[in-house]
Amino acid sequence: MGNLLVTPGEVVQIAFRGAESVDPNLIGEAMIVTAQYKFIRPVLGKLYEALSEGKYTQLLDEYIKPPLAHYVKWLLLPRLSVQCGTIGLVQFKGDNFSAADGKGVTRLAKQVRSDAQVLMKRAVERIESSLEEFPEYEPEQNVLNRIALIGDWVV
């Protein structure tokens, strides 16, 4: 399906901590590729291709995987609250647990997306502080340098 910049296990290790426990098998390649193409590639441009080819592993590990893992988590949240099974869509409940309501899921999703955006800005700051180190990166191609995200609005 393409070169994955992060594995499902790394997503769980980076973005799901503490009491959160998620089976890496719930994170498919399609979800990672979607996050890469929607959120990482438009920011990094040609540098994304270099990372896909195995260049700049330290940058990838320290600065790109954290926002990518959080974007994957953000994409995964709706699937964690509702699953598709043989009897249709189901919501998990148990003796000691009940499914979160829509407001709780929405609040968590906003926080996870905000964390991912901040981590992505941190990565861009690192890259733009040493442009000579990453010649493939073109700041004018970075979508974040052409738009601003304010809450749910694109300006």
Side-chain angles (χ1 to χ4, degrees):
M1 184 171 276
N3 291 340
L4 300 180
L5 298 181
V6 68
T7 66
E10 289 172 319
V11 169
V12 170
Q13 181 182 14
I14 294 167
F16 292 91
R17 299 204 167 206
E20 299 176 323
S21 178
V22 173
D23 182 353
N25 293 319
L26 292 174
I27 303 168
E29 281 187 32
M31 190 168 292
I32 295 172
V33 170
T34 298
Q36 289 178 183
Y37 271 67
K38 285 181 81 170
F39 305 111
I40 306 300
R41 190 176 187 207
V43 172
L44 301 182
K46 293 177 184 174
L47 180 57
Y48 169 84
E49 302 303 329
L51 290 167
S52 295
E53 294 167 0
K55 293 176 83 175
Y56 311 117
T57 56
Q58 184 175 4
L59 176 72
L60 178 63
D61 290 341
E62 294 178 18
Y63 290 93
I64 305 304
K65 285 182 181 182
L68 177 55
H70 282 80
Y71 281 124
V72 172
K73 179 179 180 178
W74 182 63
L75 293 173
L76 183 65
L77 286 176
R79 292 187 185 178
L80 293 176
S81 60
V82 176
Q83 295 285 319
C84 185
T86 57
I87 59 171
L89 293 177
V90 296
Q91 193 171 27
F92 293 111
K93 291 186 179 185
D95 292 337
N96 299 317
F97 298 98
S98 64
D101 64 1
K103 289 180 183 179
V105 174
T106 300
R107 280 194 308 268
L108 177 60
K110 283 184 178 184
Q111 182 60 54
V112 171
R113 184 180 62 186
S114 175
D115 292 346
Q117 290 169 338
V118 168
L119 290 167
M120 193 70 234
K121 287 179 184 177
R122 175 180 166 259
V124 168
E125 286 176 5
R126 166 62 181 97
I127 294 163
E128 290 184 351
S129 72
S130 303
L131 288 175
E132 66 285 347
E133 210 177 319
F134 310 105
E136 297 89 348
Y137 178 74
E138 299 169 330
E140 64 279 356
Q141 297 301 314
N142 177 348
V143 70
L144 296 179
N145 289 338
R146 296 182 301 209
I147 64 165
L149 298 173
I150 302 172
D152 291 331
W153 296 90
V154 177
V155 182

